[in-house]
């Protein structure tokens, strides 16, 4: 999505450790008209797939998932992060390691929200090493739901999470893929 690439170049800030700050339109502050456009772009990519539900993870995945949900007229479920493991049995759960934050989160979704009848589109804001998406795929597997594909707004291609999932056969789309990021420059993958 050309407009997203332009926005990243204009408003993104490169932080140490290969981190891109996009707090003024995607994360902390949401550019709502642009978020609407990204949701419509995702809807166009996955139209006619028979999706029944969108799944994301708190916190920053929620706005873009909801935007896609409006555009596709679908419910959005978000996984919650818990420090402790869930033992009550009423949730699907899996452990997700965050390379960026260097911590582990037990990720949980109530069993009533995803079932084996669901065809799920997984949506997140960033795709880096792919741990969050792998965790959400595992949740779908536990539910017996079909994973139609995964979408990220921004994929950091150099951290390989997206390509590893594509190699496994998953449909993974990203609105912008950063192929390389130096201290001062950002280069996008041609799509
Ligand atoms: P992964 O899920 O793809 O493996 O990513 P990783 O563990 O490395 O990233 C963990 C968190 O950091 C995720 O948010 C992810 O969205 C975010 N993240 C990764 N790289 C960047 C980046 O370059 N810029 C920004 N702004 N965020 C990045 P999270 O832990 O789920 O936190 P949040 O959604 O509550 O913010």
């Amino acid at each position: 999505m050309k407009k997203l690439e332009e926005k990243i170049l204009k408003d993104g800030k490169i932080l140490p450790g290969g981190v891109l700050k996009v707090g003024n339109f995607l994360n902390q502050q949401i550019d709502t008209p642009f978020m609407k456009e990204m949701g419509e772009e995702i809807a166009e990519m996955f139209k006619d797939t028979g999706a029944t539900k969108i799944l994301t993870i708190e916190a920053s995945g929620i706005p873009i998932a909801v935007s896609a949900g409006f555009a596709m007229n679908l419910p959005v479920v978000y996984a919650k992060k818990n420090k402790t493991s869930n033992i009550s049995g009423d949730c699907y759960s899996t452990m997700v390691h965050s390379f960026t934050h260097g911590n582990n989160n037990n990720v949980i979704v109530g069993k009533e929200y995803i079932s084996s009848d669901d065809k799920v589109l997984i949506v997140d804001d960033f795709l880096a090493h792919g741990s969050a998406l792998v965790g959400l795929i595992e949740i779908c597997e536990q539910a017996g739901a079909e994973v139609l594909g995964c979408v990220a707004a921004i994929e950091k291609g150099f951290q390989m999470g997206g390509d590893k999932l594509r190699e496994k056969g998953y449909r993974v789309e990203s609105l912008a893929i950063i192929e390389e990021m130096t201290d001062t420059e950002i280069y996008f993958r041609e799509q």
Side-chain angles (χ1 to χ4, degrees), residues 18-20 27 58-60 81 97-101 125-132 156:
V19 172
L20 177 71
N27 294 144
E58 66 175 357
S60 313
K81 292 174 190 164
H97 175 74
S98 167
F99 288 91
T100 305
H101 299 301
D125 59 335
F126 267 90
L127 168 51
H129 296 89
S131 327
K156 296 195 290 184

Side-chain angles (χ1 to χ4, degrees), residues 137-154:
I137 290 169
E138 275 172 26
I139 297 273
C140 290
E141 282 170 356
Q142 288 174 27
E146 182 183 343
V147 176
L148 292 173
C150 305
V151 191
I154 303 174

Side-chain angles (χ1 to χ4, degrees), residues 23-89:
N24 77 335
F25 70 92
L26 184 65
N27 294 144
Q28 195 152 14
Q29 172 173 269
I30 311 291
D31 179 337
T32 51
F34 186 58
M35 192 57 90
K36 183 167 183 277
E37 281 181 52
M38 288 198 287
E40 287 162 356
E41 185 88 8
I42 292 170
E44 183 62 27
M45 281 172 169
F46 282 86
K47 68 176 181 193
D48 306 328
T49 56
T52 63
K53 213 157 268 187
I54 291 174
L55 176 64
T56 189
I57 181 166
E58 66 175 357
S60 313
I62 296 173
I64 187 155
V66 169
S67 184
F70 273 124
M72 299 175 83
N73 199 23
L74 290 177
V76 175
V77 175
Y78 64 90
K80 296 188 176 191
K81 292 174 190 164
N82 250 354
K83 290 288 169 226
T84 52
S85 63
N86 175 271
I87 48 164
S88 67

Side-chain angles (χ1 to χ4, degrees), residues 55-58 77-81 91-99 103-110 114 120-124 126-145 147 149-150 161-162 164-165 168 170 172:
L55 176 64
T56 189
I57 181 166
E58 66 175 357
V77 175
Y78 64 90
K80 296 188 176 191
K81 292 174 190 164
C91 290
Y92 305 115
S93 72
T94 189
M95 197 59 80
V96 169
H97 175 74
S98 167
F99 288 91
N103 60 1
N104 290 313
N105 282 295
N106 191 43
V107 166
I108 59 171
V109 173
I114 304 184
V120 179
L121 174 59
I122 296 173
V123 177
D124 208 353
F126 267 90
L127 168 51
H129 296 89
S131 327
L133 294 190
V134 168
L136 294 176
I137 290 169
E138 275 172 26
I139 297 273
C140 290
E141 282 170 356
Q142 288 174 27
V147 176
C150 305
K164 281 186 194 154
L165 285 169
K168 285 187 181 165
Y170 290 102
V172 180

Side-chain angles (χ1 to χ4, degrees), residues 161-182:
D163 288 334
K164 281 186 194 154
L165 285 169
R166 290 182 187 103
E167 277 164 25
K168 285 187 181 165
Y170 290 102
R171 180 178 174 193
V172 180
E173 309 277 358
S174 298
L175 302 184
I177 303 180
I178 298 175
E179 193 64 70
E180 197 189 336
M181 200 162 77
T182 68

